[in-house]
Amino acid sequence: MQFHQRAFSMLIIGSMLMAPLAYAQKIEVWANNRANSESKDVKERAMGHIVDSFKEKNPGVDVAVTVMPWQQLSPSLLRASKSGRVPDVVMLYSPSVPMQIAAGTLASLQPFIDKWPKQDFSDLVRLSQNENRAGDIFALPWQMRVSGLMYREDLLNAVGKRPPQSLDEFAETAKITAKDDVVGIALGFSPEAPSVATGWFLTTLAGTGAKILNEDGTAAFVSPEAERLVAWVADLVNGGTDALPLNVAMQGQEQSFTLFTAKKAVFMPFSSDRLDNIRLRSGLGDAIKMVNYPGFEEGKPAPALVQSWNAAMPKGTKHPEEAWKFIEHASSTDVQTELAKVAGYIPVRQSSLKDPWFQTPEAANISWAVNYSSQHPLKFNFPENTETLYDVWAKMFGQVLTGQMKPEAALAWAEVEYNRRTAR
């Protein structure tokens, strides 16, 4: 009997040694993409690399990625904070971060960052949207993008045109190249997903020197520059060509993306992180390129709109140490270098650019984005109500483009509406 008990005990111990090691901890991450290192989708591969490399460096810690549409991440966090059922890490698009900081849903990362060596901190790209007025940091960027004008080089070469250097040249080229069921510009102001179109409007307007918000945060939308830019869009829509048809102008950004990827548009304002995906899906490869947003004057482009996806820790997380390790990992030099190679993302670590790969032709778009953002930076303090700002502008454009209001009257309406919705 004693022999059988000893043998049984040894069998149990052997089984435990052969069994996979159980995870001691599991953290939940909210994101807008699946984590799949083998996916054909570059965004899923990028998230897959973050998760897989984190688990490799942190044995015993598992990661559960909860995927939801990117527009739902911010409102879902607000609801979850009220119920006390928050994830450990949440990915937030930069316009959403100021609102979350103001709402008190995020834990400050400053206690963790203060432990960094000075070099680690200075190496990181800092974005004002991720900080409160005291300078405390609540989110770290891990996927930076620079917006610019995507265009089909093959169609421009066919009519002997260069990438547009001014808004007048942009409009002219869009009209000339819009033919054979191909529209000139894929630019949609639908309130359901307006951030690309309204982001283009914001940075192009800022490039004129016009004031957008007053010192007290109230709207300052009515200006000759704003009226001129809104009229520029309206003239394209109502100009009798397919440069920017009304049905396209009333679409959302994903519909614009689909139109351009289907080779049905010549130009599309969009962010650099989508370039590799568009080249792959369209089959056009390097024929799709990016250039600075043109301004009203040739040689004076609109400033670069730099935004990012950021990793933040909600207040009330059950695993703050593990959550911080994940956030820190996503913004690390090694991961940022790999994400640039895997998905064409612009590194948020300056040290990543020391890798020889960034000197190759494959990294040409990243070099463009870095040069554009450094030479023509956007000087604008995004308000905590950025999402409201974009929504009001989208509805303002809708009223102009459908003929309900003239540009000046619509801008005046937008001022009143924005101030009403953001009043405290």
Side-chain angles (χ1 to χ4, degrees):
M1 181 68 179
Q2 189 175 11
F3 171 79
H4 290 299
Q5 286 179 334
R6 186 181 299 115
F8 181 73
S9 299
M10 293 177 65
L11 179 62
I12 294 297
I13 293 172
S15 299
M16 292 174 64
L17 292 173
M18 294 176 62
L21 180 65
Y23 286 109
Q25 205 68 268
K26 176 183 283 190
I27 61 172
E28 182 182 13
V29 176
W30 283 6
N32 65 317
N33 289 291
R34 293 190 308 132
N36 184 352
S37 300
E38 305 301 322
S39 174
K40 293 182 179 180
D41 187 293
V42 295
K43 292 193 171 187
E44 293 183 357
R45 288 209 308 273
M47 184 61 67
H49 174 73
I50 294 174
V51 171
D52 292 347
S53 57
F54 172 79
K55 290 163 65 175
E56 183 178 345
K57 288 188 175 183
N58 296 272
V61 182
D62 195 9
V63 179
V65 178
T66 299
V67 181
M68 61 185 72
W70 71 269
Q71 303 96 325
Q72 295 300 317
L73 285 164
S74 182
S76 294
L77 179 59
L78 291 174
R79 292 191 294 269
S81 294
K82 292 180 180 179
S83 67
R85 302 178 64 181
V86 297
D88 298 292
V89 177
V90 60
M91 303 301 188
L92 294 171
Y93 192 39
S94 48
S96 302
V97 179
M99 178 184 65
Q100 297 292 344
I101 294 175
T105 65
L106 302 180
S108 173
L109 301 180
Q110 206 61 47
F112 299 100
I113 294 173
D114 287 342
K115 297 177 183 178
W116 272 352
K118 184 177 180 180
Q119 184 177 356
D120 286 0
F121 181 69
S122 61
D123 185 47
L124 181 73
V125 173
R126 292 178 62 183
L127 298 175
S128 60
Q129 300 99 308
N130 293 340
E131 304 177 11
N132 64 9
R133 293 183 179 180
D136 290 341
I137 297 174
F138 288 79
L140 292 187
W142 63 271
Q143 182 198 341
M144 196 166 70
R145 73 272 300 273
V146 176
S147 292
L149 185 62
M150 290 189 186
Y151 66 94
R152 286 187 55 183
E153 187 179 49
D154 57 326
L155 296 183
L156 265 61
N157 289 341
V159 295
K161 289 292 183 180
R162 65 178 183 177
Q165 304 298 306
S166 69
L167 284 172
D168 286 343
E169 185 177 4
F170 186 16
E172 177 191 358
T173 305
K175 293 174 183 177
I176 292 173
T177 52
K179 56 185 178 180
D180 299 330
D181 199 31
V182 175
V183 303
I185 308 171
L187 180 64
F189 291 92
S190 168
E192 294 182 3
S195 62
V196 169
T198 49
W200 164 83
F201 177 70
L202 166 66
T203 193
T204 306
L205 180 58
T208 68
K211 182 184 288 188
I212 296 173
L213 297 173
N214 294 311
E215 294 298 324
D216 62 0
T218 57
F221 301 159
V222 179
S223 68
E225 296 86 356
E227 186 177 349
R228 182 183 179 190
L229 188 55
V230 174
W232 182 86
V233 177
D235 289 344
L236 282 175
V237 172
N238 301 314
T241 70
D242 284 332
L244 180 56
L246 177 61
N247 65 323
V248 174
M250 299 306 295
Q251 292 179 347
Q253 65 183 48
E254 292 306 317
Q255 292 167 304
S256 298
F257 174 85
T258 299
L259 186 70
F260 189 79
T261 304
K263 298 183 282 192
K264 296 296 183 180
V266 183
F267 296 103
M268 179 178 66
F270 227 84
S271 54
S272 57
D273 64 300
R274 292 290 192 102
L275 181 61
D276 284 352
N277 209 356
I278 290 173
R279 284 174 166 174
L280 179 64
R281 290 192 179 190
S282 66
L284 292 170
D286 291 342
I288 298 178
K289 299 188 182 301
M290 293 190 74
V291 69
N292 301 353
Y293 279 151
F296 277 109
E297 295 183 45
E298 183 173 334
K300 293 185 178 180
L305 178 60
V306 180
Q307 295 188 319
S308 64
W309 276 98
N310 310 276
M313 184 191 308
K315 281 185 179 178
T317 174
K318 297 178 181 178
H319 311 108
E321 293 295 332
E322 290 77 9
W324 165 247
K325 287 181 180 179
F326 186 88
I327 294 171
E328 185 180 35
H329 177 74
S331 63
S332 66
T333 299
D334 289 346
V335 170
Q336 288 296 302
T337 302
E338 188 63 23
L339 294 188
K341 298 176 181 179
V342 169
Y345 293 169
I346 301 168
V348 302
R349 289 277 179 189
Q350 298 176 44
S351 53
S352 291
L353 299 176
K354 295 178 182 179
D355 190 290
W357 179 83
F358 290 98
Q359 306 304 317
T360 65
E362 290 82 2
N365 186 61
I366 294 176
S367 298
W368 162 81
V370 170
N371 290 334
Y372 183 24
S373 58
S374 61
Q375 294 171 10
H376 305 281
L378 173 63
K379 298 177 181 179
F380 178 75
N381 292 322
F382 285 84
E384 63 186 58
N385 303 298
T386 298
E387 292 178 334
T388 302
L389 177 69
Y390 283 0
D391 182 67
V392 169
W393 275 350
K395 291 173 180 174
M396 178 268 295
F397 268 102
Q399 295 185 72
V400 173
L401 301 182
T402 56
Q404 299 177 59
M405 287 186 180
K406 297 294 185 182
E408 184 176 11
L411 286 164
W413 170 86
E415 273 194 1
V416 173
E417 180 66 8
Y418 179 79
N419 290 339
R420 181 188 69 81
R421 291 176 58 177
T422 58
R424 294 182 177 178

